[in-house]
Each structure stands twice: as C-alpha cells, then as structure tokens.
Amino acid sequence: MPTIEKINGSIFKVVYGNPTNPVDVTLPYEDAYSGLKCEEINGKLQVIDAGKTIISEKDSKVDGGIFSVTFSYENAHFFGFGEKMGYLDKRGKHFKMQNMDNPLHTPDLDPMYISIPFFIAVSPKKPAMGIFANSTSYTFFKTGNDFDVSAKDDGIELYLIYGPKVQDVVGKFTQLVGKMEMPPAWSLGYQQSRWSYSTASEALDIAKKLRSDDIPCDVIYLDIDYMDGYRVFTWGENFKAPKSFSQEMKKLGFKIVTIIDPGVKVDENYEIYKSGKSLDAFVKDRSGKDFTGYVWPGRCNFPDFLRSDVREWWAKSHKSLFENGVDGVWNDMNEPAIVWTDSKTSKVFELMQKGEIDFQILGEAKAFFAQEDFGDEIVHKDDKGKIWPHFKVRNIYAYLEAMATKQAFEMYKPNKRPFILTRAGFAGIQKYAAVWTGDNSSWWEHLEIEMPISMGLGMSGVAFTGTDVGGFGGNADGELLARWTEMGAFFPFFRNHSAIGTSRQEPWSFGKQIEDTIRKYIKLRYALFPYIYTAFYFSHKDGVPVMRPLLFLDQDNENLYSINDEFLFGDSILVAPITRPNATWRTVYIPKGKWIDMRNGNLYEEDHVYKIDAPLDEIPIFIKENSMIFKTDPANYILEKEKMNLYVDIYGQEAVGYLYEDDGETLDYKAGKYNLYEFAVGALSQGYTIGIKALNHGYVGKYKKVQMNFLNAPRQIIEVTLNGKKIESHFDGKTLKVEFEMEDVI
Ligand code: MIG
C-alpha cells in the first residue's frame, strides 16, 4: 500500500515499498490547482480530477528484485520517455532506462544514452497526466491499455502530475526537476564538427573556409584527437600552442568546444591520473580496487561523480581547457561507455588476432560488448561514505558529471553562461546541459526519426536538443546533407558532425548547388535569431519545449498524435521537412488555424492535407496567421555587431508578438538585466495601429532601427500610428513598411 503525499495542488508523490536513491533530482515546488485528488480506495490508488477517476492502480508486486505497479488510464496514448527510438506516440511499447552507448540506432534499439523515467498519458477530452518514476536505478515501462512502471529497487517513488494540457504537464515536470537556463547566445548558431579536426591548422582551415564561403558559423568542435593520447584535460602534439590557436579562432569569430570523456588513463606520469588517485577519486570494483575499463586511452579509471569532492576535483581539472580559451565542453562516453574490462582483454586480443573484430573502429568493439553495464561489478560512495551499486548510480552518472562541469564554468568563467553538450543524462539534465542524440547514421530513415526523438526529449523537459546534421555514421550524399540541414536549421541545437572514416560532410563537400542550399538555410537560422532566442527564453521560463509536436495545438484531436514528420518551432513556425530522396514535394497536414507559406505567402486552411512543392533548395515552412516573426540582419556569427536592426514580419492583419533580448553571455539576466517587449498590431478601417511596450526593461538593448513589414496589406493604408502617434509608412502595392528607432519608442 503506497504512502500518498500531496506536494501541491497538481502533484502527488506516491511511494510504494522502500525505494532508495543516492541523489534526489527534484526541487521544491509551488502550484495553485486544487481539483486533483489522490486516494486509496479498497487498498488501490485512485487519481481523481473533479470527481472523475483518471488513473487507477490495478496491481503492485515484487519479482526478482524488480518492483512493479500497474495502472490504467482509459484509451491512453503515451509521450515522452526522454530519448527513445520510434514515433511520438509510444503506446504498446516496452522500455528500459539504463544509460547505454549503442551506436547502431535500429528502430527497436532500447535503451539509449539518456534515461528520463517520465511520460505523459494523453487521451482526447481528458486531462493529460504525467508520471515521473523518481528512481535513479534501472526502470522499466510497458504501455498499453494498462501501463506498468517498474524499478530495480525495493519500492518505487512516483510523482503524478496533472495537466490538464500536455504543455502544463511538461511545465510542471520541469518545475519539479529544473528548467534550462538561458544558454549563451552563440550556442544557438550553426556549429561545425567532425571526428576529428585533428590539428590546429586543420581546424583553422575549416573556420577560414566557412568565412570565405560566407557560411555563418559560431563554433568549431575538437573531438578526441586534440588530446595527448586521449588523456583528458591535455593538449597533444597537434595542438602545441592551444592559446594562440584559440586566439586566432576568436579573431575569426569562432568559439571552441572540446570533447571530454570521463575515463582517465591509468598512467603514473599523468597529472590528472595522479591527482585523481591521490584523492582516491575513482569508482571501485567489488573487491575495493579501482575499477578498470578500456576506452580510447586504453586502461582507464572512472571518477566517482557521486562524491562532491570528486566533482570539485573534476571541475578544477578544466583549468587547462579554460585558460587556453575553450568556450564550451562536450561530454561524451558518459553513460559511461566502457568497451571492455581487464578480465575480457585476453578474449579481445584473441578475437582481434583472428580478425573477427576490428578495434580500429571502436564501434565494432562496442557493438560486440553492447549491453555490458557493470551494474553489480562497480560500486560508488556518496558523501556520507555510503556504498551504492553502480546500477543505482549509472543513470545519473552523466548528470553528476554535468554538475561538475557546470562547477568548472563557475570556477573559471564566473558570471559567464556555461555551454555543456552531453550525450547521456537523466531527468533534469537540462539544468546543466544541451543534448544531442548521439551516433545516428547518414540514412534518410534517421533524418526522419530525429524529429520524434527530439520532440520526445522536449516533452520530457529537455528543450535544447539536436542531432548530428548529415548523420554521424555512414556516408552522406549531397541531397541528404542539404535536406538534413534544411531541417536541422529548425532544431534547437544545430550542429553538423560526422564520424572518422566516413565521407566529408562540411557544407562544401558536395559542390556548389548543395552548398548554396545549405548556406541559404543557415542564413535563415541567423536571420531568425531574435525569434529563436525569444523561444528559448520562454522555454527557460515556462519549460515548454522550443520544438513541439502538433498535438500541443489541440490534444483533443487524436489525429495529431501520429504526426511525426512535421513540427512546431516556437509559437508561430510549422516545419515540414523532406524525408525522402528525390522528393520535390510532400503532403502537409495543416493544423488548427490558418498557416501561410513563408516562401510565397500562400494561405492554407486548417484540418486539410495539401501537396506542397519543395525543390531541393527549399522545405515547406509555414507561419501561423496573425503572428509576428522577428528577424535581424545577416551576420557571420551570432551578435557579431554591437547594434542590430530588427525586422518584424506581420502575417495577417493583427498580431501580438514577444521579443526577448539580453547580453547573450552573462548571468545578469537573472538579476533582471533583460528586455522583454510586447508588440501588438491591429487593423482599423483607415490603417494600422502599432503598440510596443516593455514588459521588462533592464538592459541597454542591441536593436537600433526597427522595420515592421505588414505582408499582404490589403489596401492603400492611409494612416499608421505607433504608440498613439502617427508615423510615416510606405506601401509598395503588397507590403506596407514602417521604420523607426527602437530608442524613440522605449
Ligand atoms: O567511440 O569521440 O557520439 O560524436 O565523435 C566513439 C568520438 C566516441 C562518440 C560520439 C561521437 C564522437 C565519437 N565518440
């Protein structure tokens, strides 16, 4: 029988048995809703809203160390579960949460890198309910008419989160486990990566080529080959003068993000190993010895991030990166991925000699040993000295590493926003890091499936997500890269990355036509910066993802639950990527409202399917009628210029829009140093009225000249007023333009 605790009006905590976690990821919470009840009736849990039962418990049991509870929610569809293969609606699935590096993303691959034991049950005309299994252990889910929630533990702690809307559930869940902070503005730009740009001159050449080809870009990534023999926090022979390298990059307007893996090479002559060893910082095997596993550097030990002194040591170890001008940190292999252990070494060498595995390509070794998790073999220690088996820590290992990495930013870059990119994580990872979806392949099928994967992450609280544009494994061709870039420009995180040994995938790799298309979409991303940054602000504030499924528009419309190949980007943009080779058109379902093709102004009606053209250099993008899109001038990189111009495109005759801005790099926004403007336009018989007001004005502001474009102005407009005063306008027969200085308005 569970204990029931009311956390607030819409969240109940229900505890079965005696679960234990080494770390609690939840935060204090306040909420005013009062309709929800959670009661025990005849020994079974019932969740009741306004007198109606929405969830009822059917059974709970313990079997083989696994504690399970079965519930029912009539006609439920299931969304969330963090990072999972497959389509948005996860009804009829079995999932396991156990952070795992498996580089071959087949349709049924499970588990993946990230564990977020959270989902939302949705059904038309019913309140959506979120269920968070607050267990850092391995958890298991089965979804169908009934659903099972299980944990490898002596009990299970559940948070039941009332909507009623899907976006309310996401908002409340992020209030419970934490929201994304404002990322540095540059991290919204296009980013270029490759495994690896392995010399300083190669990385610089890539940066220069991006500039000379007029492709905006903010970041160059350094993958594992920048290090000395894969020793983390070192610079190798090919990056002998990292400081002057980073200074040159800075002059070109680039940021540098370096990869860091958790495995520390066992090497008595290596500073990080020595300092770790003297702190006794590494996880142990059952016999109490440092656990050793093979990763890139060979034999490695693994920091026990469960301990705060170890996190502090790890944070301090970033000195060699930050003092040499590194801007962001990329946490890879943090499931942790361990390819094999000492005990397997002889077997590995035997197989290698027979030529059965090529360990040049670590992926083959990984695939061979996949599903090894060392859950019982490794032990961790918490700050109180309590010992925890790895299976209770594994799913938060990367989360704790990200905490330590954030601490490194606080140490070395005080008052600067951290940028951390992580592969693995747990519920709440968005407090510390952005997430990319790991080792996809250059397949059309993967281009397509990245949409529901990223939307699923968004519905699980992780707003800042993206994919390796062009695909990581396998060989992209020009068409795939062009189509993927067109789509990727509308993912929150936008980075092109590819694996060693695959064909090159930089924008110019497939000739002029492809490069022109890629440039066009990257430039569109930069033009949309004011709009995108504002969407990030609202996500930071309310937890609503930047990239959203169409069902957010109307959860009573069950048809929307299965739309996996269209998505919303912020409040007003609908993106319909091309997901097949040789396709120059596609069908698009138009949801609630009227939507306008951004390319040509064509208007489309709700609840219809249209055949929409999409030649290779275009994808269909629609703007919601009666909305505003904020844009700015072209730039080589985000916030390149001290002062910027703002362009406000108005689709329809009246609209309200919001614009957020701050300095883009410090934490000052937390103290109110930001601007949030509300723009409202309305049509009168004689003309338009524009009202602009500051909901918050705490920052000098970068926007100088404002140009408002009334697209499709219906007639010669006689008069336009701005905050009650008449201003001049110019009508070209279709678009009406007005211009003014921001400082004259605010
Ligand atoms: O075993 O650092 O997902 O992005 O390029 C592969 C090399 C290790 C996996 C990451 C990928 C990265 C690669 N890493």
Side-chain angles (χ1 to χ4, degrees):
M1 224 136 287
T3 62
I4 303 171
E5 182 189 338
K6 182 168 180 161
I7 301 294
N8 60 64
S10 37
I11 302 189
F12 281 85
K13 179 163 140 183
V14 179
V15 183
Y16 291 84
N18 298 300
T20 51
N21 283 335
V23 165
D24 187 2
V25 300
T26 65
L27 306 169
Y29 189 99
E30 306 240 329
D31 181 276
Y33 184 73
S34 63
L36 197 70
K37 278 196 200 148
C38 207
E39 288 174 358
E40 221 189 279
I41 298 172
N42 300 330
K44 299 270 187 260
L45 189 79
Q46 300 267 333
V47 181
I48 301 159
D49 175 50
K52 277 196 203 128
T53 296
I54 30 182
I55 290 183
S56 49
E57 180 196 325
K58 295 190 86 174
D59 194 16
S60 66
K61 63 172 195 283
V62 195
D63 188 5
I66 308 285
F67 196 103
S68 299
V69 195
T70 306
F71 295 100
S72 72
Y73 173 117
E74 207 186 320
N75 183 37
H77 296 263
F78 298 87
F79 301 89
F81 295 107
E83 180 187 52
K84 292 291 175 198
M85 290 301 289
Y87 296 117
L88 267 178
D89 183 355
K90 296 190 161 57
R91 180 175 176 153
K93 296 277 184 189
H94 294 200
F95 292 123
K96 181 176 188 187
M97 299 293 174
Q98 176 184 324
N99 289 5
M100 190 65 66
D101 170 22
N102 190 327
L104 191 64
H105 299 180
T106 51
D108 60 350
L109 173 66
D110 185 69
M112 292 182 77
Y113 311 100
I114 294 183
S115 293
I116 305 182
F118 168 77
F119 65 91
I120 310 173
V122 188
S123 185
K125 308 255 155 55
K126 285 216 292 199
M129 284 296 301
I131 287 132
F132 173 46
N134 186 22
S135 170
T136 63
S137 187
Y138 302 160
T139 47
F140 309 85
F141 300 86
K142 275 189 209 164
T143 62
N145 283 332
D146 299 337
F147 59 88
D148 292 358
V149 182
S150 317
K152 180 175 161 125
D153 202 352
D154 298 327
I156 190 162
E157 177 176 304
L158 302 174
Y159 284 87
L160 308 175
I161 307 168
Y162 174 82
K165 287 189 161 178
V166 174
Q167 42 271 61
D168 300 329
V169 177
V170 182
K172 289 170 187 180
F173 176 57
T174 56
Q175 207 161 317
L176 187 66
V177 297
K179 294 180 167 56
M180 163 181 74
E181 303 209 334
M182 279 308 284
W186 55 262
S187 65
L188 272 55
Y190 173 70
Q191 320 195 13
Q192 185 63 52
S193 185
R194 169 89 180 164
W195 176 14
S196 293
Y197 298 132
S198 47
T199 65
S201 66
E202 188 186 1
L204 274 164
D205 285 348
I206 295 286
K208 287 179 192 152
K209 175 82 172 149
L210 284 156
R211 290 288 176 260
S212 65
D213 279 19
D214 188 27
I215 295 173
C217 184
D218 272 83
V219 191
I220 299 287
Y221 281 71
L222 299 182
D223 205 326
I224 46 176
D225 297 293
Y226 77 91
M227 294 178 267
D228 170 20
Y230 308 123
R231 289 170 186 82
V232 285
F233 307 114
T234 66
W235 296 87
E237 270 296 290
N238 294 328
F239 284 84
K240 256 195 225 117
K243 197 158 197 172
S244 58
F245 162 73
S246 73
Q247 277 164 354
E248 263 191 82
M249 290 294 256
K250 254 157 224 144
K251 269 189 236 144
L252 294 165
F254 284 91
K255 302 283 190 280
I256 299 165
V257 175
T258 48
I259 200 167
I260 286 291
D261 292 352
V264 173
K265 187 179 177 74
V266 177
D267 172 358
E268 299 294 340
N269 300 312
Y270 163 39
E271 218 27 69
I272 300 293
Y273 174 74
K274 283 196 290 186
S275 57
K277 182 87 188 157
S278 71
L279 185 67
D280 196 19
F282 301 117
V283 297
K284 303 279 182 278
D285 62 22
R286 286 280 177 189
S287 75
K289 288 208 294 274
D290 287 345
F291 169 84
T292 309
Y294 281 74
V295 206
W296 289 108
R299 297 181 77 229
C300 290
N301 289 162
F302 298 85
D304 191 355
F305 293 121
L306 190 54
R307 275 166 48 197
S308 55
D309 58 337
V310 172
R311 292 199 294 275
E312 194 170 332
W313 159 75
W314 191 254
K316 273 198 198 128
S317 305
H318 285 70
K319 185 159 189 261
S320 62
L321 299 181
F322 291 136
E323 72 182 9
N324 285 305
V326 166
D327 300 282
V329 177
W330 171 19
N331 283 164
D332 188 24
M333 305 296 268
N334 48 353
E335 294 72 28
I338 295 163
V339 187
W340 72 84
T341 54
D342 277 349
S343 59
K344 303 262 166 57
T345 303
S346 54
K347 175 80 181 156
V348 170
F349 284 101
E350 184 195 314
L351 286 165
M352 247 196 300
Q353 256 152 18
K354 282 200 222 145
E356 278 178 30
I357 313 177
D358 178 6
F359 284 104
Q360 296 288 341
I361 305 186
L362 200 67
E364 287 197 21
K366 270 199 250 168
F368 189 81
F369 290 108
Q371 308 306 320
E372 294 257 8
D373 69 329
F374 314 105
D376 288 303
E377 230 172 290
I378 303 175
V379 291
H380 299 253
K381 203 196 266 180
D382 68 17
D383 282 346
K384 295 187 191 113
K386 184 170 177 194
I387 302 294
W388 293 87
H390 185 57
F391 70 80
K392 282 212 168 168
V393 182
R394 184 174 179 84
N395 288 348
I396 47 166
Y397 190 76
Y399 176 98
L400 296 166
E401 184 194 22
M403 258 170 86
T405 310
K406 186 175 179 215
Q407 235 176 299
F409 280 86
E410 285 159 3
M411 262 177 209
Y412 296 110
K413 291 177 182 286
N415 203 35
K416 279 276 170 70
R417 298 178 199 175
F419 178 74
I420 304 169
L421 179 66
T422 185
R423 192 169 72 177
F426 187 69
I429 186 66
Q430 64 271 9
K431 294 190 286 264
Y432 310 117
V435 160
W436 99 105
T437 57
D439 297 347
N440 59 10
S441 298
S442 297
W443 301 337
W444 289 94
E445 290 80 356
H446 273 178
L447 179 162
E448 186 170 4
I449 209 70
E450 292 293 355
M451 287 183 264
I453 297 178
S454 253
M455 286 190 271
L457 275 162
M459 292 181 85
S460 310
V462 190
F464 201 2
T465 61
T467 138
D468 285 348
V469 167
F472 176 74
N475 302 313
D477 64 21
E479 187 187 1
L480 179 76
L481 182 64
R483 291 308 198 185
W484 208 318
T485 310
E486 289 168 351
M487 176 179 86
F490 297 93
F491 272 52
F493 177 67
F494 183 26
R495 183 185 73 156
N496 171 318
H497 180 55
S498 54
I500 195 167
T502 63
S503 53
R504 298 298 295 213
Q505 210 168 276
E506 287 81 9
W508 46 84
S509 303
F510 301 99
K512 182 170 181 311
Q513 195 202 352
I514 297 295
E515 186 178 5
D516 287 349
T517 297
I518 291 172
R519 180 187 304 106
K520 179 169 149 187
Y521 275 79
I522 295 176
K523 287 200 166 190
L524 179 56
R525 167 92 175 191
Y526 280 72
L528 287 168
F529 169 75
Y531 172 87
I532 301 173
Y533 198 55
T534 303
F536 268 78
Y537 168 72
F538 283 112
S539 188
H540 150 71
K541 196 171 143 281
D542 303 328
V544 180
V546 176
M547 179 181 181
R548 310 164 194 168
L550 268 54
L551 72 103
F552 272 47
L553 296 173
D554 183 7
Q555 72 194 50
D556 288 337
N557 180 356
E558 219 165 331
N559 293 327
L560 300 182
Y561 298 6
S562 55
I563 296 188
N564 290 282
D565 63 350
E566 297 175 27
F567 61 90
L568 302 168
F569 186 59
D571 285 333
S572 312
I573 298 182
L574 170 70
V575 188
I578 294 294
T579 60
R580 292 286 186 274
N582 300 313
T584 53
W585 59 270
R586 58 163 286 173
T587 53
V588 177
Y589 174 82
I590 296 293
K592 216 172 195 163
K594 287 192 176 119
W595 295 78
I596 297 157
D597 190 323
M598 197 187 199
R599 299 168 298 176
N600 51 31
N602 292 346
L603 185 82
Y604 296 95
E605 302 281 342
E606 81 177 65
D607 201 28
H608 280 74
V609 175
Y610 294 92
K611 172 175 182 263
I612 308 283
D613 283 334
L616 183 57
D617 65 340
E618 289 179 358
I619 54 165
I621 296 158
F622 303 88
I623 311 296
K624 197 190 215 160
E625 193 191 39
N626 294 334
S627 65
M628 266 177 224
I629 300 293
F630 295 93
K631 290 183 174 168
T632 190
D633 295 310
N636 288 305
Y637 53 93
I638 301 282
L639 303 183
E640 180 181 13
K641 305 204 179 75
E642 234 348 90
K643 290 285 171 190
M644 297 150 74
N645 297 317
L646 183 69
Y647 305 94
V648 188
D649 291 346
I650 296 133
Y651 292 79
Q653 304 310 319
E654 49 188 18
V656 178
Y658 296 91
L659 176 71
Y660 173 85
E661 66 164 339
D662 60 22
D663 66 27
E665 54 174 0
T666 73
L667 302 174
D668 293 354
Y669 72 97
K670 293 189 179 184
K673 294 194 177 163
Y674 66 88
N675 300 333
L676 182 64
Y677 302 117
E678 185 184 272
F679 285 60
V681 303
L684 299 174
S685 59
Q686 297 285 298
Y688 288 116
T689 60
I690 303 170
I692 301 177
K693 63 178 181 213
L695 304 180
N696 193 72
H697 194 250
Y699 167 64
V700 283
K702 284 198 163 53
Y703 295 111
K704 205 173 152 348
K705 196 183 76 194
V706 182
Q707 183 186 86
M708 296 186 73
N709 304 311
F710 294 80
L711 309 174
N712 273 313
R715 61 195 165 262
Q716 179 73 46
I717 298 292
I718 319 245
E719 193 174 285
V720 179
T721 63
L722 172 61
N723 286 354
K725 277 191 229 133
K726 191 167 181 290
I727 57 161
E728 241 182 77
S729 61
H730 173 77
F731 186 57
D732 67 6
K734 200 165 183 238
T735 301
L736 178 95
K737 289 188 183 359
V738 297
E739 275 184 12
F740 50 88
E741 299 287 320
M742 197 68 175
E743 62 178 16
D744 292 342
V745 182
I746 299 297

